[in-house]
């Protein structure tokens, strides 16, 4: 069955999940050029979406090449979340995604993100307010399997999932870890399978431990979810999506040569300079090139060289030295 979120068709069931610090417009555009069919923005605080200013400009960027895209918001007051959703709707985000999953302590202590997995009444009040605020626009929610690791009944999860579908959400995305687990331990794919069995006619997106293209296809196969959101496995490997399409079509996944990797890194740098400014572009790419280095045959030497870099000239010299010619 082809993946759809509301009325929006997604032409392949493996997309780029929300990644704070990574799934910004420049990286989304890089992934789009390598076959990603669907992306989610970094989580945006509802108040930041509503506040005119530099931060808002930095967070909220759309590009004709970056659709369908979900704008993800995080907050605690139903009215403010609804207002932020209306704002993203007006800007042309295809889908509004509500973050009830973030485990970061500061977020949870402000009753946002993953805290909502402990507060079903508030979670559902937010869902209802947002669905009502953006008629016709698909709304999705990102959940964790529970708040506490020890909670194997997942009672709050089922309350939120059922209530959210009843309120009209188009899909539920689930990171199959608890909020307490943060990013440690294993994601419970068995829970994703149970979820799909419970809602066979609804759209379910799975997340957690999708470290390779083969994992993405295995999650689809083993759990029956309608779509998969790759996250850490796709940081620094934007070829992930093309490779997953290759695997699904029975072709060996294409591995980019070093020249192609270098071209993508420089293109990413140009996009980041355009989206922000050259100083910030360099900061982002210094950080990102450590992730791109995961694919390099001399990753340790490359990483060591990159951490010593301070200026754009130094950074370019390292990239040129490691990515040019025979290695
Ligand atoms: C650095 C980082 C930032 C993340 N930021 C977000 C975010 O802003 N919103 C969100 O819903 N999930 C976020 N996540 C969670 C991922 O989307 C994903 O659900 C999680 O990493 C599990 O998938 P994985 O085990 O394949 O990485 C983030 C994860 C990481 C590692």
């Amino acid at each position: 069955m082809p993946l759809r979120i509301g009325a929006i068709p997604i032409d392949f069931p493996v997309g780029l999940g929300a990644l704070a610090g990574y799934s910004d417009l420049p990286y989304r555009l890089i992934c789009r050029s390598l076959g990603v069919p669907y992306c989610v923005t970094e989580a945006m605080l509802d108040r930041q979406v509503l506040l005119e200013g530099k931060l808002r400009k930095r967070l909220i960027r759309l590009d004709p090449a970056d659709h369908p895209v979900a704008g993800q918001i995080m907050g605690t007051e139903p009215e403010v979340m609804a207002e932020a959703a209306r704002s993203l709707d007006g800007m042309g985000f295809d889908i509004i995604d509500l973050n009830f999953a973030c485990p970061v302590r500061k977020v949870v202590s402000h009753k946002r993100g993953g805290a909502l997995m402990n507060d079903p009444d508030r979670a559902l009040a937010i869902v209802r307010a947002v669905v009502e605020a953006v008629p016709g626009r698909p709304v999705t929610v990102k959940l964790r399997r529970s708040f506490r690791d020890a909670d194997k009944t997942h009672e709050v999860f089922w309350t939120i999932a059922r209530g959210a579908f009843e309120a009209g959400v188009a899909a539920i995305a689930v990171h199959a870890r608890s909020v307490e687990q943060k990013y440690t331990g294993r994601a419970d794919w068995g829970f994703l399978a149970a979820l799909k069995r419970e809602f066979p006619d609804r759209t379910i997106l799975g997340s957690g431990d999708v470290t390779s293209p083969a994992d993405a296809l295995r999650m689809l196969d083993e759990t029956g979810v309608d779509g998969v959101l790759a996250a850490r496995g796709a940081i620094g490997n934007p070829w992930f999506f093309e490779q997953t399409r290759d695997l699904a079509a029975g072709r060996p996944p294409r591995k980019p040569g070093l020249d192609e990797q270098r071209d993508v890194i420089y293109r990413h740098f140009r996009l980041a300079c355009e989206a922000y400014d050259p100083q910030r572009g360099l900061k982002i790419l210094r950080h990102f090139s450590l992730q791109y280095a995961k694919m390099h045959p001399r990753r340790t030497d490359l990483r060591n060289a990159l951490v010593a870099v301070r200026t754009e000239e130094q950074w370019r010299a390292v990239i040129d030295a490691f990515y040019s010619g025979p290695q």
Side-chain angles (χ1 to χ4, degrees):
M1 272 277 284
L3 173 61
R4 294 184 89 83
I5 298 181
I8 299 175
I10 314 281
D11 85 352
F12 189 72
V14 181
L16 177 68
L19 284 164
Y22 297 100
S23 67
D24 62 351
L25 179 64
Y27 194 57
R28 297 199 306 271
L29 288 174
I30 292 291
C31 292
R32 293 281 180 188
S33 69
L34 293 162
V36 78
Y38 173 59
C39 297
V40 186
T41 65
E42 314 172 74
M44 302 180 265
L45 260 189
D46 53 0
R47 290 180 195 283
Q48 282 168 357
V49 170
L50 295 170
L51 216 64
E52 293 291 337
K54 250 170 75 180
L55 189 62
R56 181 178 194 264
K57 274 213 199 103
R58 179 162 79 66
L59 282 171
I60 301 170
R61 288 169 193 280
L62 280 168
D63 186 284
D66 184 31
H67 290 283
V69 62
Q72 188 184 75
I73 47 175
M74 192 159 75
T76 186
E77 301 299 334
E79 317 80 68
V80 185
M81 286 287 271
E83 200 55 42
R86 218 174 277 128
S87 173
L88 295 184
D89 175 55
M91 287 176 227
F93 281 91
D94 303 286
I95 290 163
I96 309 297
D97 186 38
L98 310 179
N99 181 320
F100 299 165
C102 179
V104 171
R105 194 195 310 241
K106 203 169 128 206
V107 169
V108 173
S109 68
H110 283 91
K111 301 195 167 77
R112 302 176 182 127
L116 276 312
M117 290 305 304
N118 223 0
D119 194 350
D121 291 345
R122 184 178 285 275
L124 289 174
I126 292 172
V127 171
R128 287 185 208 106
V130 169
V131 169
E132 196 176 310
V134 291
R137 182 73 71 192
V139 175
T140 58
V141 286
K142 167 82 175 282
L143 306 179
R144 293 256 180 166
R145 66 166 177 79
S146 63
F147 187 84
R148 285 182 213 298
D149 194 29
D151 177 5
K152 304 295 178 199
T153 65
H154 304 108
E155 214 169 295
V156 174
F157 177 94
W158 296 113
T159 303
I160 295 176
R162 252 179 232 117
F165 279 132
E166 275 162 22
V169 302
I172 290 184
V174 180
H175 177 184
R177 287 187 173 84
S178 66
V179 176
E180 267 183 2
Q181 254 184 298
K182 296 191 171 155
Y183 296 96
T184 61
R186 297 303 302 265
D188 182 355
W189 287 17
F191 183 71
L192 295 177
L195 175 59
K196 188 58 207 175
R197 279 197 300 276
E198 183 69 19
F199 297 108
D201 304 324
R202 304 288 198 169
T203 302
I204 307 288
L205 306 174
S207 164
D209 290 343
V210 177
T211 56
S212 67
D215 285 341
L217 298 186
R218 200 164 53 79
M219 180 184 272
L220 286 168
D221 189 45
E222 286 181 10
T223 69
V225 292
D226 304 277
V228 166
L229 295 171
R232 285 172 292 183
I235 299 177
N237 178 13
W239 292 269
F240 188 100
F241 303 97
E242 202 185 71
Q243 290 168 341
T244 311
R245 286 179 191 260
D246 280 340
L247 263 188
R251 296 186 293 264
R254 190 180 71 85
K255 289 208 180 87
L258 289 179
D259 283 354
E260 183 179 342
Q261 292 180 42
R262 187 195 50 215
D263 290 351
V264 162
I265 292 168
Y266 275 130
R267 180 158 169 255
H268 191 170
F269 177 55
R270 283 194 301 277
L271 287 168
C273 290
E274 273 165 39
Y276 310 110
D277 57 64
Q279 204 183 343
R280 196 177 173 86
L282 178 65
K283 190 169 166 222
I284 290 173
L285 262 290
R286 272 174 51 198
H287 181 62
F288 240 108
S289 37
L290 291 167
Q291 301 289 342
Y292 282 113
K294 287 191 289 200
M295 295 176 62
H296 197 281
R298 291 168 54 214
R299 56 183 287 179
T300 309
D301 294 344
L302 173 53
R303 280 173 161 261
N304 290 341
L306 283 168
V307 290
V309 152
R310 292 288 169 270
T311 65
E312 182 181 335
E313 287 65 38
Q314 291 169 351
W315 178 73
R316 284 179 180 274
V318 170
I319 297 298
D320 290 343
F322 277 83
Y323 285 93
S324 299
Q327 295 287 324

